[in-house]
Amino acid sequence: MELVATSLFGLEKFVAEDIDALGCRRLQTIDGRVLFEGDASAVARANVSFRYAERVLIRLGVFRADSFDALFEGTKALPWESFIGRDGAFPVKGHTVKSGLASVPDCQRIVKKAVADRLASVYGLSRLPETGIKYQIAFFLLNDEASLMIDTSGAPLHKRGYRLESNAAPIRETLAAAMVRMARPRDDVILVDPFCGSGTIAVEAALLADGIAPGLRRPFAGESFSFLPAKIWSDAREEAKSRQRKSGMHIYGADIDPACVELSIANAYRAGVASRVTFECRDARAFSSPEPGARGTIVTNPPYGERLGDLASSRELAAAFGRAIRENVPAWQIYVMSADESFARFFGRTPDKVRKLYNGMLRCSYFQFFKQSQFVKK
C-alpha cells in the first residue's frame, strides 16, 4: 500500500526518520507530508509509534484533476469498495494548493458524489445508508494533481491522550517532541523547561528518553476498519512496548503559576511518566539549576503575545530570563521556541542556529544556543 504521513511544516525530516525506523521505503517528501510504502501492519505500527507525524493515511490513487469532470472521473475510478462497506459512512475533507480547482467545498461535493456513485453501483443500492463505520476520505490537490486517501488515525496523532486540559497557549505534542529531539538529549545531562505550562515539553522528553511510543494509550480510527486485521494493532502495541527502556536522564518542569504545575503533574500521570519528571513552582526570571553543578539543557516555549502590551511584557521576561542564565548557568545549552523573531536580541545572546517551524498555523523561530561565550555584552 501507499501510505502518507502528514506533519507540521518543518518536521518532515523527523517523520522520515520514524518511517526509516519502521523499515519502510520512503517514496516522496513534500511540504507537510511524506509518502511511503507499507503493508497493513505498517499502518498500525506507524499510528502507534510515530512521534512527529499528524496523521497516517492510505493513498488509493493519484491523478491529474484540472477540471471538476477530471476530479469526478478520477475519483470514481478508484476501488472504494475494497475499503468501504455497503453501510460505511464516508465524509470528505481536503486541501487544494496551487491548483485550478481552488474551492474546497466544491471539491468536497464532487469527491463525495463520485465515491457515492461508485459504491451505489457496486452494492446495487439507490441510496447509501452511511450508518456504519466512518471512513474519513481526504483529498489533496497540488499543482492540479489529486491524491485521494483514507485517514486511519482519526484524532490527529499529536493528541496522545494525556493532555485532557491545557493552558491558554499550548504547544502541539508533535512539535514539543521535535524540539526535544533537536536539543540532542543525553542521559547524563538534565533537561529543564522553565515555562512548562501544561508540561508538554517535559512529558514528551520523558516519552522520548524512555522510548515510549506516543500512541500506546489512545485508539485509532483504523482499528474499526474491516480491511485491517485486529491483530496488527495488538502486535504493534506489543512491539512498541518491547522497545521501551529506562533512561538515566533527569527531567524538570517549572512554572510561576501553581495551576500550571498542578496541570503538568496530572498530564504526566496520564502519560505514565509521573515518576520520570519533577515539576515545581519557580520564577524563570530567577532561574537556577534544580541540580547545582549539573550539566543541563533548557528546552522551552516562553509566553509571547502579538498585541503591543503582551509583546512588551514577553520581551521584558526574555531579558530577565537571559540575565538569570548568564549569572547562574552560562555554560548550559538553550533551545527556545518563540513567535517573536526578536527574541534573541532581548534574551541577550546570539543564536548559533535559528530554525523556522510552525505550531499549527503560527510561524515560529526555534532559537538554538549551544556554543559558549556568545552572550551580548551589556
Side-chain angles (χ1 to χ4, degrees):
M1 288 189 290
E2 289 189 348
L3 306 175
V4 179
T6 65
S7 73
L8 296 173
F9 292 124
L11 302 191
E12 298 87 356
K13 172 180 180 288
F14 306 108
V15 173
E17 290 177 355
D18 273 351
I19 291 170
D20 294 344
L22 283 188
C24 296
R25 185 168 75 93
R26 283 184 278 131
L27 301 175
Q28 183 186 23
T29 300
I30 61 175
D31 288 347
R33 58 194 61 221
V34 184
L35 181 68
F36 63 105
E37 287 183 331
D39 58 11
S41 67
V43 174
R45 294 168 66 216
N47 274 297
V48 170
S49 299
F50 278 5
R51 202 171 299 276
Y52 312 104
E54 292 293 317
R55 294 185 181 279
V56 177
L57 307 102
I58 298 171
R59 187 166 82 163
L60 276 68
V62 57
F63 52 88
R64 184 154 185 83
D66 52 4
S67 68
F68 286 126
D69 285 343
L71 179 61
F72 180 88
E73 296 299 335
T75 301
K76 188 176 180 179
L78 299 177
W80 297 101
E81 67 277 5
S82 297
F83 301 88
I84 303 173
R86 63 187 296 120
D87 64 346
F90 49 99
V92 178
K93 64 181 179 182
H95 302 279
T96 175
V97 179
K98 298 178 182 178
S99 297
L101 302 181
S103 170
V104 170
D106 286 341
C107 291
Q108 286 176 297
R109 285 191 288 271
I110 293 295
V111 170
K112 179 76 175 183
K113 181 172 176 18
V115 176
D117 281 9
R118 169 90 183 200
L119 293 178
S121 175
V122 169
Y123 293 129
L125 298 172
S126 59
R127 183 179 179 84
L128 296 167
E130 293 198 60
T131 55
I133 296 168
K134 175 183 173 182
Y135 299 85
Q136 179 67 64
I137 295 174
F139 66 85
F140 179 58
L141 270 75
L142 175 64
N143 296 323
D144 293 326
E145 184 178 79
S147 292
L148 271 294
M149 301 161 286
I150 291 178
D151 178 17
T152 69
S153 298
L157 297 182
H158 73 260
K159 294 187 176 181
R160 320 291 206 204
Y162 65 79
R163 201 170 73 179
L164 303 183
E165 298 180 62
S166 61
N167 60 322
I171 189 171
R172 282 200 190 181
E173 294 88 332
T174 44
L175 180 57
M179 290 169 60
V180 174
R181 169 72 175 76
M182 284 185 274
R184 302 184 294 277
R186 289 148 288 173
D187 284 2
D188 60 344
V189 178
I190 68 173
L191 188 143
V192 185
D193 179 4
F195 303 95
C196 68
S198 55
T200 307
I201 291 173
V203 169
E204 291 296 327
L207 294 175
L208 178 61
D210 287 2
I212 300 173
L216 274 177
R217 293 171 174 251
R218 56 153 287 176
F220 303 96
E223 292 185 78
S224 65
F225 293 175
S226 59
F227 64 88
L228 294 176
K231 190 174 185 298
I232 65 174
W233 298 96
S234 58
D235 287 350
R237 290 187 171 94
E238 288 304 313
E239 178 191 354
K241 290 176 183 177
S242 72
R243 295 195 300 267
Q244 293 180 189
R245 70 184 187 100
K246 282 293 182 183
S247 75
M249 186 168 66
H250 294 184
I251 303 167
Y252 296 89
D255 202 284
I256 196 171
D257 185 349
C260 286
V261 174
E262 291 181 9
L263 179 58
S264 296
I265 292 171
N267 287 340
Y269 269 106
R270 279 189 287 267
V273 296
S275 64
R276 295 285 292 109
V277 187
T278 301
F279 291 103
E280 56 186 350
C281 193
R282 297 183 66 179
D283 188 345
R285 293 171 295 186
F287 181 84
S288 61
S289 174
E291 294 184 18
R295 298 170 60 205
T297 296
I298 289 174
V299 182
T300 194
N301 176 42
Y304 48 79
E306 295 179 328
R307 292 176 303 182
L308 183 58
D310 293 338
L311 186 58
S313 62
S314 68
R315 287 174 172 177
E316 290 174 2
L317 178 59
F321 179 47
R323 286 193 295 270
I325 297 296
R326 288 195 297 275
E327 293 169 2
N328 298 315
V329 288
W332 279 26
Q333 296 184 346
I334 318 293
Y335 296 81
V336 180
M337 178 75 70
S338 178
D340 182 6
E341 295 184 358
S342 299
F343 170 84
R345 178 161 62 90
F346 292 92
F347 182 64
R349 188 172 177 181
T350 303
D352 301 295
K353 186 175 182 180
V354 181
R355 184 167 184 155
K356 298 301 179 185
L357 296 172
Y358 285 80
N359 185 21
M361 297 303 294
L362 181 63
R363 188 172 186 266
C364 299
S365 296
Y366 194 37
F367 297 94
Q368 303 174 48
F369 310 91
F370 44 78
K371 294 179 183 177
Q372 296 186 32
S373 304
Q374 295 296 310
F375 288 105
V376 176
K377 299 289 184 181
K378 288 194 175 182

